[in-house]
Amino acid sequence: MKAVTPMNSNYKIETKCIQEGWKPENGEARVLPIFQSTTYKYESGEHLGKLFDLEADGHMYTRISNPTVACVEEKIASLEGGVGAMMLSSGQAASMSAVLNIANSGDNFVCSAAIYGGTTNLFAVTFKRLGIEVRFVTPGMTDDDIHALFDDRTRLVFGETIANPALDVFDIEHFAGIAHSHNVPLVIDNTFATPILCRPFEFGADIVVHSTTKYMDGHATVVGGVIVDGGKFDWEAAGKYPELCTPDESYHGVVYTKQFGAAAYITKARVQLLRDMGNSPQPMAAFLLNMGLETLALRMERHSDNALAVAKYLEAHPNVSWVNYPALESSSDYEKCKKYLGGRSCGVISFGVRGGRSAAMKFMNSLELASIVVHVADARTSVLHPASTTHRQLTDEQLVNAGIGADLVRLSVGIENVSDIIADIDNALSKVN
């Protein structure tokens, strides 16, 4: 298969969602083909040897790369504005590999405390067993407090554009400045925002990760993840990353920064971590993800418009005690929402039902259009009451300490007609008293 090449960089992102990636030539399939093959044929052993020496372009084995997957990677890299991307089997795998690519036992990294709970556990529990320490930035910390978390073994800073489920908007530019002052990169999880609402590289981020399972797929059909390399961080000048700047003996002494330049980080992630850990995506998963990406711009606009209308409705309802949605003017993150997200947010809203746990549970059970699922960012409206489901083992006091009130409802607003969504919510709220 021919190498995938970038398209006209002047095209708008809506066009890139559809046209980027697979570019058929005369007589080829218009729709991205599914190359459902583990292996590839070569005309000579010498050519295959060059592939394994990283001296030629092509596919060695689907655990490392695949033509279908490569096209989708190219599309996502273009949407984010990066030099390259690597798909993985899940968002968790993407977060894990993004860190392990540049952190080893004895190293540490700084991370916002307002991140997805599964990522928190990965960083605080599993990485601890591997000898890698996470140092959380908690609410109320000053810049001096944050700078004090760094030392000569700190390797990166990590945050989420829109935190799941706290919905805090991360100050990307500010933390990029902090990270770069310590000669480390800023890694951003852009799952909830997607490149349609925010492109973190434009604000100083260096690496972007996604759980593609959410809005990028958008239809709850396939689990996946991706890492995108911004290509601007100077790994050699930083003086902290021998894995990128010194010979890799597992590839006959290749030095990634010398041979691959701006794409050193993402190349190493693929040919070393993906090769050794095997958390690879399947061609069918990439095909399904590409179907979602083609409508991503349309869906994110509808998710954002619907969610804002629902948030405003909830804010005015007497049976709702509070609403957390960054695009509301009443939100403490409204100014950051305007700066980083163009004044829009995703489809996820958190709010409190008056009457606490029992009222929130009754509200959830009274919904008809919205489905009760352990998922967000679907085309369909969905709902979850964490205190009675995912966090049901905790007491009300423990829930508060975890930032999850007993009254909290997490609503993922879909792309249905917004009047139908609001009518469903209105009917359910009328039954909580």
Side-chain angles (χ1 to χ4, degrees), residues 155-166:
R155 293 295 179 262
L156 63 115
V157 176
F158 188 99
E160 293 182 1
T161 309
I162 305 174
N164 175 16

Side-chain angles (χ1 to χ4, degrees), residues 159 271 403 429:
V271 303
L429 283 173

Side-chain angles (χ1 to χ4, degrees), residues 298-357:
L298 291 171
R299 288 185 289 102
M300 288 308 296
E301 181 177 352
R302 185 63 169 262
H303 279 296
S304 298
D305 290 347
N306 280 1
L308 181 59
V310 170
K312 289 179 176 179
Y313 161 82
L314 291 170
E315 198 171 38
H317 199 286
N319 288 345
V320 174
S321 54
W322 58 271
V323 180
N324 183 14
Y325 188 66
L328 284 174
E329 291 186 20
S330 58
S331 170
S332 60
D333 279 350
Y334 181 65
E335 292 302 319
K336 285 188 288 184
C337 181
K338 287 198 298 182
K339 176 177 179 177
Y340 294 115
L341 304 164
R344 292 179 175 270
S345 187
C346 62
V348 181
I349 303 170
S350 293
F351 65 97
V353 179
R354 293 194 189 279
R357 182 192 295 260

Side-chain angles (χ1 to χ4, degrees), residues 102 107 151-155 180 182-185 233-246 257:
I102 50 175
D107 291 337
D151 60 29
D152 60 357
R153 297 299 297 271
T154 304
R155 293 295 179 262
H180 295 161
H182 293 276
N183 297 315
V184 301
F233 190 82
D234 193 332
W235 304 103
E236 291 186 340
K240 297 172 179 280
Y241 305 97
E243 54 275 290
L244 290 167
C245 305
T246 59
T257 52

Side-chain angles (χ1 to χ4, degrees), residues 1 21 46 107 114 119 126 129 150 156 161 171 179 230 248 255 272 276 280 291 334 336 371 407 415 422:
M1 178 185 171
E46 288 77 14
D107 291 337
T119 310
T126 302
R129 293 171 180 159
F150 290 78
L156 63 115
T161 309
D171 195 340
D248 180 355
V255 178
Q272 192 181 86
D276 293 348
S280 315
M291 295 285 284
Y334 181 65
K336 285 188 288 184
S371 301
D407 63 341
I415 61 173
I422 290 175

Side-chain angles (χ1 to χ4, degrees), residues 183-251:
N183 297 315
V184 301
L186 174 62
V187 181
I188 292 293
D189 184 333
N190 201 33
T191 296
F192 268 15
T194 81
I196 304 303
L197 298 183
C198 178
R199 285 171 289 282
F201 295 142
E202 296 176 3
F203 299 99
D206 302 290
I207 307 296
V208 165
V209 300
H210 286 269
S211 169
T212 60
T213 317
K214 309 302 190 298
Y215 287 115
M216 282 190 166
D217 165 28
H219 301 84
T221 55
V222 61
V223 174
V226 69
I227 303 173
V228 187
D229 185 353
K232 294 182 179 179
F233 190 82
D234 193 332
W235 304 103
E236 291 186 340
K240 297 172 179 280
Y241 305 97
E243 54 275 290
L244 290 167
C245 305
T246 59
D248 180 355
E249 297 308 323
S250 72
Y251 276 110

Side-chain angles (χ1 to χ4, degrees), residues 88-117:
L88 298 105
S89 56
S90 69
Q92 281 288 82
S95 295
M96 179 185 70
S97 296
V99 175
L100 291 183
N101 200 36
I102 50 175
N104 301 291
S105 180
D107 291 337
N108 64 76
F109 64 102
V110 174
C111 179
S112 168
I115 59 172
Y116 169 56

